[in-house]
Amino acid sequence: MSKVVIIMGSKADLEWSSKIAKTAADLGLDPVMRIASAHKVPLKCLEIIREFEKEPVVFITVAGRSNALSGFADAQTHCPVIACPPYGDKFAGADVYSSLRMPSGVAPMVVLEPDNAALAAAKIIGYHNEAIRKNVMAYQEAQRLKLEKDNNELL
């Protein structure tokens, strides 16, 4: 299990999703990107979910404004769903609430930074994949070493 499927609401989300995909690949995951709006083409979205949930997978959904995609995806699958909505300053960031407020029985996780969404997916997959778990641990160690180096430069 090392596949991460990134579902975007539209091509406007490609830049944000590409950041997720890059970090996911750096962590040893196999990122796959698809476009399917839960509002405009819900059956296509469902088709993508059904295609990939046959094997262990983590879905990462990327949709701004009214983020029905994350809730829709989560309600349709038994697999983990991580919502990673792109920041939109048009509504002073308030559109993030559409990713946070979900109805009962619908529980996508919300991670606001692309790198961290990929890291969260890797941690989930790392439960059953030792190679990915080791990649996560190496990633975290590199973060710690960078902070120590930065601190030492101040001394």
Side-chain angles (χ1 to χ4, degrees):
M1 170 169 109
S2 65
K3 191 165 297 220
V4 174
V5 178
I6 302 164
I7 305 175
M8 296 168 264
S10 72
K11 195 171 182 179
D13 300 319
L14 184 58
E15 182 179 345
W16 191 262
S17 297
S18 293
K19 293 176 185 178
I20 298 168
K22 181 192 178 314
T23 301
D26 290 347
L27 288 165
L29 303 173
D30 179 18
V32 174
M33 293 197 287
R34 297 290 187 267
I35 296 172
S37 167
H39 287 111
K40 299 173 185 173
V41 290
L43 295 179
K44 180 62 179 175
C45 186
L46 183 58
E47 180 183 307
I48 292 167
I49 292 166
R50 294 292 179 255
E51 174 187 352
F52 288 100
E53 73 175 359
K54 293 174 186 172
E55 58 187 278
V57 67
V58 173
F59 292 100
I60 299 179
T61 52
V62 179
R65 290 191 188 175
S66 178
N67 181 8
L69 180 58
S70 300
F72 177 86
D74 188 76
Q76 302 307 314
T77 186
H78 61 278
C79 300
V81 175
I82 300 169
C84 186
Y87 178 78
D89 56 2
K90 187 172 185 179
F91 299 103
D95 48 346
V96 72
Y97 293 120
S98 68
S99 297
L100 297 174
R101 301 275 303 166
M102 291 289 151
S104 61
V106 180
M109 296 162 270
V110 179
V111 179
L112 298 179
E113 294 297 324
D115 291 341
N116 289 343
L119 179 60
K123 285 182 172 187
I124 292 167
I125 291 169
Y127 270 115
H128 301 289
N129 184 316
E130 186 177 351
I132 298 300
R133 184 171 52 250
K134 287 181 178 180
N135 291 345
V136 167
M137 293 167 65
Y139 179 89
Q140 291 175 315
E141 182 62 18
Q143 297 290 314
R144 283 189 281 276
L145 291 174
K146 181 184 181 318
L147 285 174
E148 286 181 28
K149 178 183 174 280
D150 292 347
N151 181 60
N152 289 337
E153 288 176 358
L154 295 175
L155 302 178

